[in-house]
Amino acid sequence: MHTLVQAVILGVLTGGVYALMASGQTLIFGIMRVINLAQGAMVVLSAYLSCTLFTTAGIDPFLTILLLAPLMFLLGVVVHRVFLRPLKAGDGELSLMVMFAVALAVEGVLAATYKTTYRSINATYRDESLELAGYHLSVTRLAAFGLSLAVLGGLWVLLHRTRFGASIRATVQNPTAARLLGVDPDRVSALGFGLGAATAGAAGAVFGLVYPFNSASHYDLIARLLAIVVLGGLGSLGGAVAASILMGVAESVVAATWSPAWASATFFVALLLVLLVRPRGLFGAQLRGAL
Amino acid sequence: MDGNRLSGEAVQLLFRERRRRRLLAALAAVAVSMSLAACGPATAGPDAGGDAAAKDTLTVGVSLSLTGDFADPGKAAKRGYDLWASDVNERGGVLGRKVVLKIVDDTSNPNQVTTNYTNLITKDKVDLVFGPFSSLLSIPASQVAKRYGYAFLEPAGGGPKVFEQRLDNLFFVQPASIVRQGDIFADYLLKLPADQRPKTAAYAALDDPFAAPLAENLRKRLEAAGIRTVYSETYPDSLTDLTPVIAKVAAGKPDLVVSGTQSEDAYAQVKAMKQLKFSPKWLFMSNGANNPVEFPDKVGSNNVNGIFTTGDWFAGSKQPGAAEFVKAYLAKYGGEETGIDTTSAEAYSVGVLVEQVAKKTGKADNATIVKTLHSGTWTTPIGDLSWDAYGEPQSNYTLVQWQNRRLTPVFPAEVAAVQPLTSKPAWGK
């Protein structure tokens, strides 16, 4: 029983880390219907940058987020401007390929710059943990979880309480009507894409603290992120959070109580089963635009 | 010992391939949910080489991974080979013949390695070949060598599949095959008085052909001696977070934890144990923990003390020839003794063996090397080596333990620098 509860705690905290990464992914899909295959590569890129800032300038990894989120936002806007905007609206397959190409390009540059050896951000508090009623909570993951909640809360406020958020939601629900009301869909898309990239920037530092990574880590990452957003329902922020935590807990509990070999597979099997009965995912709306 | 770590990296190549495949599977899932409907060398060379003009030199062909995934260990091997060549030439060469190395890059690619050895043998007509880095590359390379009747001494390719080829020209230049590199730990435990041995043990190993069988070997021997198993599982490479696994291990409260690890997973296990505040009385880790520089760097130098691992060459080794190797290495490359990669020592030992055969027989041709190395025991800086008919080494690794933040030999007694600690200090001590 103790092991099970400990595993659930670990899983929830891990889920928080993934929720942060998946929120950007689902946001971008909600706004643009683009599956951003480069989200994982952007996370890994920010993990490297955070690692570099930490080792060379001694900046705490969590503080690097203040630099990396705006930087990745800009990168996102540039990627959108250069690669996505020229595509015809609704050209889903092509944008998929373009973003995959961006991911491979980022991987290539990282491999050339940093080599392929695994890195990790070795902050002094990295392996500290709090003990609560006999259960152990990793300090890093707890902080990551908190950060994730804060970012997701911020995103929610942005979407539901600001004019910009209203224009995003309007674009999501009906691009033509939004345009008639004076919303510039290109601008909304660019800013939305930037926002998604910025969450990758925030997630990178956390990812680098929790997991070892190299330039090829984005394959595993994007596979999980896609699975999360599909399970949660493409475009659904709440769904992404729920699916992240579900994945974290499923993996952790299976690894701790049954067999580590089945830990990752269990989640992917669960994903397929959910899609069989509910093809739009847990929280996905039939029409796009469930934000 | 780097051989297995890096053969592990060879395996990572395959894992990466698997990750790509998983990505494709995930993409397929997306497609479903979106309902997107659209969505061999023929030329024969001479048996052993050289035209008349080349008789005052002994050319040795090597393919090494100077770029690609094995670039770091590949370069370490190159330093070992280069060092031996310059050393032996200073001593007057092999039987008076100056050693000339011809080293080509295989970009860590098994196809390229085949091409390289074929070219070295048939076009460059080298006299001898030395092995590349890792099991992944040694297997195809050894087959080329066998085809042309060349001896194949290799410093880093000790996976089970290497010996399953049953090649009589192959010699793995390390004291033990990879899956047997943990056996010395069992020897040590079972030599302790029964009341001082651990009573229970947990085994957590990476599911790869190098790490898991090593832990499995230990489990069988310790179980046979009455040490009860409370946990035994392998975990896949895709499971980067090992905290849940270690949570289960800790729940069994074992006296001993045997970790069949490669590198990243070794660091992840230590991190998880630390986070869960679980410090077993005994902790043995196969790979990762044997890296004198990376391990303390990755897990924190105050978390290494008391951890057991194994090694063939290590800083301060008392093995005959080891001190000379270190001296020559530092003179040629600079740096510190603890920074010398074991792969360099292993590659250097390949050359030492050829030199010894030449000294003993007065010849340095392939047939003589193969025949001579199959009998007797050979002293090298990495240990006294002997082989079975298919090149699997028959000696043992040395048991080393982290003490005072240094890898220190502790067993067997002949090479031990200090007594082993029989109770691991808590994390951070």
Side-chain angles (χ1 to χ4, degrees), chain A:
Chain A
M1 189 61 198
H2 182 276
T3 313
L4 182 68
V5 175
Q6 178 71 62
V8 170
I9 294 173
L10 290 169
V12 170
L13 293 181
T14 303
V17 180
Y18 276 94
L20 191 57
M21 298 185 268
S23 60
Q25 178 90 342
T26 206
L27 183 74
I28 289 171
F29 181 82
I31 299 171
M32 306 169 57
R33 269 212 110 145
V34 166
I35 305 257
N36 179 14
L37 286 184
Q39 183 80 356
M42 288 180 178
V43 170
V44 174
L45 168 66
S46 348
Y48 271 112
L49 292 177
S50 177
C51 185
T52 304
L53 285 170
F54 172 69
T55 47
T56 56
I59 306 176
D60 184 272
F62 281 103
L63 288 181
T64 62
I65 292 173
L66 297 177
L67 282 169
L68 291 175
L71 190 73
M72 294 306 288
F73 177 87
L74 285 179
L75 182 71
V77 171
V78 169
V79 166
H80 176 269
R81 178 59 47 104
V82 177
F83 297 110
L84 289 175
R85 206 172 143 191
L87 301 180
K88 282 196 201 114
D91 210 342
E93 296 89 342
L94 198 55
S95 66
L96 201 68
M97 288 302 116
V98 166
M99 291 323 293
F100 192 49
V102 170
L104 294 183
V106 171
E107 180 192 352
V109 171
L110 289 177
T113 316
Y114 291 100
K115 309 285 177 269
T116 50
T117 37
Y118 277 88
R119 311 275 174 135
S120 51
I121 304 177
N122 299 330
T124 46
Y125 52 80
R126 190 195 54 193
D127 298 328
E128 299 300 324
S129 61
L130 301 175
E131 201 167 338
L132 210 72
Y135 298 106
H136 297 95
L137 289 86
S138 149
V139 170
T140 316
R141 282 180 209 215
L142 213 53
F145 192 77
L147 177 75
S148 184
L149 287 184
V151 170
L152 291 168
L155 275 180
W156 190 88
V157 169
L158 186 77
L159 288 173
H160 292 271
R161 293 285 180 273
T162 66
R163 266 192 86 80
F164 172 59
S167 59
I168 286 184
R169 284 182 295 134
T171 311
V172 166
Q173 281 164 10
N174 192 332
T176 319
R179 196 191 291 264
L180 285 171
L181 291 170
V183 175
D184 175 0
D186 269 346
R187 189 168 158 272
V188 167
S189 292
L191 294 179
F193 198 85
L195 215 52
T199 63
V206 175
F207 182 74
L209 272 170
V210 178
Y211 301 103
F213 58 92
N214 73 0
S215 52
S217 299
H218 73 102
Y219 291 108
D220 189 59
L221 201 50
I222 193 65
R224 283 165 190 271
L225 293 183
L226 285 176
I228 286 169
V229 296
V230 168
L231 179 63
L234 281 157
S236 163
L237 211 51
V241 177
S244 297
I245 291 178
L246 197 66
M247 185 197 76
V249 172
E251 256 197 37
S252 175
V253 167
V254 171
T257 59
W258 179 30
S259 151
W262 283 98
S264 308
T266 306
F267 172 71
F268 287 95
V269 170
L271 168 72
L272 289 178
L273 293 179
V274 170
L275 290 180
L276 273 181
V277 285
R278 205 178 152 82
R280 70 193 99 125
L282 293 175
F283 296 88
Q286 203 108 42
L287 293 167
R288 68 188 194 135
L291 282 172

Side-chain angles (χ1 to χ4, degrees), chain A residues 119-128 212, chain B residues 261 263-275 283 285 287-307 402 405 424 426-429:
Chain A
R119 311 275 174 135
S120 51
I121 304 177
N122 299 330
T124 46
Y125 52 80
R126 190 195 54 193
D127 298 328
E128 299 300 324
Chain B
T261 48
S263 56
E264 291 306 320
D265 62 319
Y267 316 144
Q269 282 207 20
V270 172
K271 286 181 199 177
M273 287 184 202
K274 240 194 109 195
Q275 284 179 15
L283 176 56
M285 309 190 99
N287 252 314
N290 55 11
N291 190 316
V293 181
E294 286 279 301
F295 188 60
D297 185 50
K298 289 285 171 68
V299 305
S301 61
N302 54 349
N303 294 316
V304 295
N305 283 342
I307 297 176
W402 284 92
R405 305 180 181 194
K424 191 183 99 57
W427 300 114
K429 295 286 158 71

Side-chain angles (χ1 to χ4, degrees), chain B residues 191-316:
Chain B
K191 245 188 151 178
L192 290 172
D195 60 329
Q196 290 174 28
R197 293 179 198 163
K199 305 277 178 294
T200 52
Y203 304 82
L206 178 68
D207 185 9
D208 93 8
F210 306 103
L214 190 153
E216 186 66 9
N217 259 359
L218 278 174
R219 185 176 66 81
K220 281 189 193 139
R221 285 193 58 192
L222 298 182
E223 272 181 359
I227 297 176
R228 193 163 58 85
T229 300
V230 296
Y231 179 92
S232 178
E233 288 283 356
T234 56
Y235 49 83
D237 162 75
S238 58
L239 200 68
T240 42
D241 179 12
L242 294 178
T243 328
V245 173
I246 298 301
K248 184 70 187 281
V249 168
K253 296 190 171 61
D255 297 331
L256 160 70
V257 174
V258 170
S259 304
T261 48
Q262 281 296 5
S263 56
E264 291 306 320
D265 62 319
Y267 316 144
Q269 282 207 20
V270 172
K271 286 181 199 177
M273 287 184 202
K274 240 194 109 195
Q275 284 179 15
L276 296 169
K277 298 193 164 61
F278 167 62
S279 180
K281 189 164 182 261
W282 311 76
L283 176 56
F284 175 85
M285 309 190 99
S286 58
N287 252 314
N290 55 11
N291 190 316
V293 181
E294 286 279 301
F295 188 60
D297 185 50
K298 289 285 171 68
V299 305
S301 61
N302 54 349
N303 294 316
V304 295
N305 283 342
I307 297 176
F308 285 99
T309 182
T310 59
D312 55 1
W313 182 86
F314 38 83

Side-chain angles (χ1 to χ4, degrees), chain B residues 43-386:
Chain B
T43 48
D47 277 340
D51 39 42
K55 282 300 173 207
D56 45 355
T57 61
L58 182 79
T59 50
V60 181
V62 196
S63 170
L64 283 174
S65 305
L66 302 177
T67 54
D69 279 23
F70 307 148
D72 288 345
K75 285 173 193 155
K78 183 173 184 300
R79 285 196 294 276
Y81 286 145
D82 282 339
L83 181 63
W84 172 72
S86 58
D87 261 20
V88 75
N89 286 337
E90 241 171 61
R91 290 191 287 267
V94 173
L95 303 174
R97 293 164 73 184
K98 182 170 178 278
V99 172
V100 177
L101 294 181
K102 179 157 180 60
I103 297 179
V104 288
D105 183 13
D106 54 43
T107 69
S108 313
N109 179 327
N111 294 327
Q112 190 61 43
V113 92
T114 304
T115 308
N116 284 355
Y117 279 101
T118 308
N119 284 342
L120 285 167
I121 292 172
T122 60
K123 290 209 178 108
D124 300 324
K125 302 192 177 4
V126 295
D127 297 309
L128 304 173
V129 293
F130 288 171
F133 191 85
S134 87
S135 294
L136 185 74
L137 302 183
S138 289
I139 290 170
S142 60
Q143 290 165 2
V144 175
K146 173 71 186 167
R147 195 178 314 146
Y148 294 109
Y150 275 63
F152 191 74
L153 280 66
E154 47 107 357
K161 289 215 156 40
V162 172
F163 310 111
E164 282 164 18
Q165 302 182 100
R166 301 168 76 85
L167 296 179
D168 59 4
N169 64 321
L170 180 146
F171 300 88
F172 176 46
V173 182
Q174 285 189 28
S177 66
I178 282 163
V179 297
R180 285 192 41 250
Q181 286 173 2
D183 287 15
I184 190 77
F185 182 61
D187 293 348
Y188 159 67
L189 283 184
L190 300 181
K191 245 188 151 178
L192 290 172
D195 60 329
Q196 290 174 28
R197 293 179 198 163
K199 305 277 178 294
T200 52
Y203 304 82
L206 178 68
D207 185 9
D208 93 8
F210 306 103
L214 190 153
E216 186 66 9
N217 259 359
L218 278 174
R219 185 176 66 81
K220 281 189 193 139
R221 285 193 58 192
L222 298 182
E223 272 181 359
I227 297 176
R228 193 163 58 85
T229 300
V230 296
Y231 179 92
S232 178
E233 288 283 356
T234 56
Y235 49 83
D237 162 75
S238 58
L239 200 68
T240 42
D241 179 12
L242 294 178
T243 328
V245 173
I246 298 301
K248 184 70 187 281
V249 168
K253 296 190 171 61
D255 297 331
L256 160 70
V257 174
V258 170
S259 304
T261 48
Q262 281 296 5
S263 56
E264 291 306 320
D265 62 319
Y267 316 144
Q269 282 207 20
V270 172
K271 286 181 199 177
M273 287 184 202
K274 240 194 109 195
Q275 284 179 15
L276 296 169
K277 298 193 164 61
F278 167 62
S279 180
K281 189 164 182 261
W282 311 76
L283 176 56
F284 175 85
M285 309 190 99
S286 58
N287 252 314
N290 55 11
N291 190 316
V293 181
E294 286 279 301
F295 188 60
D297 185 50
K298 289 285 171 68
V299 305
S301 61
N302 54 349
N303 294 316
V304 295
N305 283 342
I307 297 176
F308 285 99
T309 182
T310 59
D312 55 1
W313 182 86
F314 38 83
S317 168
K318 289 194 219 159
Q319 174 70 15
E324 290 81 354
F325 160 74
V326 170
K327 203 174 153 211
Y329 185 100
L330 297 181
K332 190 173 169 79
Y333 301 112
E336 283 181 39
E337 186 178 1
T338 47
I340 302 176
D341 197 309
T342 51
T343 301
S344 299
E346 286 149 0
Y348 183 87
S349 298
V350 168
V352 168
L353 285 169
V354 168
E355 217 179 329
Q356 289 183 25
V357 170
K359 204 169 167 188
K360 187 171 175 183
T361 63
K363 293 186 209 162
D365 63 280
N366 285 291
T368 305
I369 292 172
V370 170
K371 186 165 163 271
T372 313
L373 286 181
H374 273 303
S375 59
T377 301
W378 302 82
T379 301
T380 71
I382 58 165
D384 295 340
L385 310 179
S386 61

